[in-house]
Amino acid sequence: MPEIILMCDPKVAAIPVRECGERLVDARGSGLLIDESRQDAAGHFAHVRKNVLERLLYAQAALPDGLRLLLVEGYRPPRLQEEYFAEYAEQLRAENPSWTAEQVHSAASRYVSPPEVAPHPAGAAVDITLADSSGAELDLGTRTNSTPEESEGACYMSAANISSLHRARRQVLATAMSSAGFVNYPTEWWHWSHRDRYWALITGAQAAAYGPVTR
C-alpha cells in the first residue's frame, strides 16, 4: 500500500487558506443521485461549493454508460465535525487504553478529519459512491463510512482484502473523480475533495480556496 498522508499531518495544517467566498449550493435537483441516509433537518448534507457541484457533474459525465454518482454527504457544519471527531476519538481511547493522546488523535484522523483541517465543513468534500442506471447503489467492498476497525482496513482505497470486482469499481470511481480535479483521502475510498487544504497539499497548490463555513 502506498504511503498515506493523514489529515493530522502538520503539512496539511500548514497549508494557508485564501477563502474565495464561493457560495454553497444544493445538489438536490442537479442531476446527481442523493442518498438521504445522512440527511439532517436543515439539509446541509446535500450542499457543496458551487464549483464542487460543477465538477461532480463533470465526473458523472465521465462515467461509463449505465453508471451514476450517488452523493452520500457533502457539507457538514463545523460543530458536527467536532462532535464526530470527539466521539470516534473517545471510542478509540476506550478500546486502546494504553495509547497516548497523539496515537488516539492520529488513529481518529484515518476516519474523521480533525476539525481544524476538515474539508467537509468547508463544503469542499463529498462522500460519494456509484449506482447503476436504476439508482441502485453498487457494492464497492465496504459500506460508505465504514471504519478501519469494522472493515479490517478494507475501507482504504488500495486495500488488498477486497475482490477484483470491488477493486475495478473503485478504479472506475477514481478515474471519473480524478478527471474532474478531485483528490481522494486514501483511508476512505468514498471521500473526495477539491480546493481544500488536503487537495492543495496533494496537488502542490500554494493555498486552499475553501475554508470552514458556519451556517
Side-chain angles (χ1 to χ4, degrees):
M1 188 179 295
E3 181 183 359
I4 293 174
I5 300 175
L6 293 176
M7 285 285 184
C8 64
D9 193 301
K11 293 193 291 289
V12 179
I15 298 291
V17 177
R18 297 172 186 161
E19 175 59 55
C20 67
E22 187 177 292
R23 73 183 189 279
L24 290 169
V25 296
D26 195 335
R28 290 170 291 191
S30 67
L32 290 178
L33 291 172
I34 308 295
D35 179 352
E36 296 187 354
S37 65
R38 303 284 286 186
Q39 184 169 357
D40 57 280
H44 292 309
F45 82 109
H47 287 72
V48 291
R49 296 281 188 148
K50 179 176 181 291
N51 188 245
V52 170
L53 178 57
E54 291 169 353
R55 288 175 179 274
L56 286 172
L57 295 173
Y58 180 94
Q60 178 161 268
L63 289 171
D65 291 343
L67 293 180
R68 298 181 66 183
L69 293 178
L70 175 63
L71 177 64
V72 177
E73 186 177 18
Y75 173 68
R76 184 184 298 157
R79 56 172 177 74
L80 192 56
Q81 185 72 30
E82 293 171 2
E83 291 176 13
Y84 285 174
F85 189 83
E87 288 173 3
Y88 185 49
E90 183 55 37
Q91 175 188 326
L92 291 174
R93 189 177 295 109
E95 294 172 352
N96 304 276
S98 65
W99 281 8
T100 64
E102 183 179 355
Q103 286 175 310
V104 170
H105 189 81
S106 178
S109 74
R110 298 170 305 163
Y111 177 63
V112 185
S113 298
E116 62 272 16
V117 296
H120 277 290
V126 291
D127 293 338
I128 203 151
T129 188
L130 296 174
D132 63 20
S133 57
S134 71
E137 182 177 350
L138 298 183
D139 183 358
L140 271 68
T142 74
R143 68 178 182 86
T144 57
N145 295 305
S146 175
T147 68
E149 291 77 28
E150 71 182 74
S151 70
E152 297 182 336
C155 59
Y156 283 50
M157 174 60 86
S158 299
N161 57 335
I162 58 173
S163 71
S164 57
L165 173 61
H166 296 146
R167 189 168 294 108
R169 286 175 174 172
R170 290 185 186 189
Q171 186 56 54
V172 169
L173 177 63
T175 298
M177 294 297 286
S178 297
S179 73
F182 290 94
V183 299
N184 172 244
Y185 189 44
T187 63
E188 302 175 337
W189 60 261
W190 56 84
H191 178 105
W192 296 81
S193 65
H194 180 68
R195 301 185 80 188
D196 61 298
R197 280 173 154 150
Y198 196 80
W199 170 89
L201 178 65
I202 299 303
T203 62
Q206 293 185 344
Y210 300 146
V213 178
T214 302
R215 298 187 76 181

